[in-house]
Amino acid sequence: MIVLENFGSMEDTVFCGVFDGHGPYGHIIAKRVRDLLPLKLGSHLESYLSCEEVLKEISLNTADRMTSGSLVQISANGESRVYNKDQDMVQMLLISIVKAYRFMDKELKMQVDVDCFCSGTTAVTMVKQGQHLVVGNIGDSRAVLGTRNKENKLVHFQLTEDLKPDVPAEAARIKRCRGRIFALRDEPGVAHLWLPNHNSHVLAMARAFGDFCLKDFGLIYVPDVSYRRLTEKDEFVVLATDWIWDVLTNEEVVEIVAKAPTRCTAGRALVEATVRNWRWKFPTSKVDDCAVVCLFLDSKPDKLSIASFSVDKHISNGLTEPDTTSTSTPGSGTESPELNGVEESTESTHS
């Protein structure tokens, strides 16, 4: 996972991303995407800012300019057009995310030091620029918003769709490309994408970085991109890998974050609740790695909380050094071995 503030050299702009690797080299690929994808997206934003500065300069030096809210009329070389700063910013964010994802997948295909043929990663990324919120998603990680309804009750709003092979639009594309969709015997309720004539590699998602053995059979890297204009009723966004959503509902996640003793402990509270629920619901199944980012949307300084859990007690999240110390469940009074490796960030931080 990663969080970058003042992203793209823009004030009040935050980039967040969570990446969940799979396959033999998934952990390497997830880290590489975490490191390279924001750089590419940030370069797009900085290029846009350069163009915007030119447009502003033209506007300020044109006699027939007019400003009204977010609109600026720009005249250059005898031609005029209406420049809507908000609309152009949103369009730029949407296009830049798609371009950055395309670059990232091509970059992985050219890697010589890591095999991406049967390994890959999910990605759920978010750019918050002022009141603009743009989310890009491939795979089954998820973004959920905590917001107030008309009765001022805190409710959840899912910002992304879990892009699994049995989602109708995804299934139609896979079938057009000769990919197969069916579940494993030991997971009858989980649809997988299969090669046309071989059972050697299966994937429980319809979009991902890497996994090039499946790219000709319906798997794509193109993100599902969505936009929301934030209001004062929107309180926080949670980005998390699929393991959290496997055992907690959106409603439960929002409630846990809202009831955390402090904002900076919200991520940790969520990871600990996930581990406890998994142990209770599936006592014979092994736990999985997970990562979560909670971004609070108001102007208070303590607006960020992150946490991760690693089965092998090795954490590498770009924010802290690996930590193998044992941590205890709040209120338990005893050390909880299954929570070894839970890591959190206690304040808003650059990665």
Side-chain angles (χ1 to χ4, degrees), residues 42 52 68 108 134 157 178 180 187 198 207 238 255 343:
E52 188 183 46
S68 176
L108 289 175
V134 177
F157 180 82
R178 299 186 299 114
R180 296 180 295 162
E187 292 182 297
H198 301 277
R207 305 190 193 193
V238 178
E255 183 179 4
E343 183 60 38

Side-chain angles (χ1 to χ4, degrees), residues 118-236:
C118 294
S119 298
T121 185
T122 72
V124 58
T125 58
M126 176 184 74
V127 177
K128 177 191 174 295
Q129 201 288 312
Q131 297 305 110
H132 303 304
L133 185 70
V134 177
V135 181
N137 178 50
I138 56 174
D140 55 5
S141 296
R142 189 184 300 175
V144 168
L145 174 73
T147 187
R148 298 280 173 180
N149 62 14
K150 293 180 180 179
E151 291 74 36
N152 203 38
K153 179 183 177 182
L154 187 64
V155 296
H156 66 86
F157 180 82
Q158 189 167 324
L159 296 168
T160 59
E161 181 178 13
D162 299 343
L163 297 169
K164 297 179 181 291
D166 56 352
V167 172
E170 306 297 303
R173 182 189 65 251
I174 291 168
K175 290 175 181 177
R176 285 197 306 268
C177 298
R178 299 186 299 114
R180 296 180 295 162
I181 303 171
F182 55 91
L184 297 168
R185 287 183 179 180
D186 56 350
E187 292 182 297
V190 182
H192 286 72
L193 166 58
W194 297 67
L195 290 166
N197 303 310
H198 301 277
N199 298 335
S200 57
H201 185 65
V202 298
L203 194 61
M205 61 198 72
R207 305 190 193 193
F209 286 125
D211 295 291
F212 292 106
C213 67
L214 290 168
K215 282 289 163 65
D216 290 333
F217 306 109
L219 183 73
I220 60 174
Y221 64 82
V222 181
D224 191 23
V225 186
S226 60
Y227 167 76
R228 181 182 178 93
R229 186 174 181 86
L230 298 171
T231 71
E232 68 280 357
K233 292 183 177 293
D234 300 328
E235 296 195 0
F236 56 83

Side-chain angles (χ1 to χ4, degrees), residues 323-343:
D323 188 334
T324 59
T325 57
S326 178
T327 59
S328 60
T329 305
S332 66
T334 59
E335 291 186 341
S336 179
E338 69 268 22
L339 294 180
N340 286 355
V342 174
E343 183 60 38

Side-chain angles (χ1 to χ4, degrees), residues 292-310:
V292 59
V293 172
C294 302
L295 180 68
F296 293 87
L297 300 172
D298 57 24
S299 58
K300 294 180 181 179
D302 55 338
K303 61 184 178 182
L304 175 66
S305 178
I306 68 167
S308 64
F309 174 83
S310 178

Side-chain angles (χ1 to χ4, degrees), residues 40-101:
K40 188 61 177 179
L41 179 55
S43 69
H44 279 295
L45 301 188
E46 290 175 3
S47 297
Y48 168 80
L49 281 180
S50 299
C51 294
E52 188 183 46
E53 290 302 318
V54 173
L55 294 175
K56 285 181 179 178
E57 186 175 353
I58 294 172
S59 175
L60 291 172
N61 291 280
T62 302
D64 64 345
R65 70 183 182 274
M66 67 93 178
T67 60
S68 176
S70 63
L71 298 178
V72 181
Q73 182 176 334
I74 298 171
S75 298
N77 300 324
E79 297 181 359
S80 299
R81 76 175 181 91
V82 175
Y83 168 51
N84 186 317
K85 290 186 288 186
D86 279 352
Q87 182 177 335
D88 283 18
M89 172 64 73
V90 172
Q91 185 177 13
M92 179 274 303
L93 287 172
L94 294 169
I95 293 174
S96 295
I97 287 177
V98 174
K99 286 183 175 180
Y101 274 59

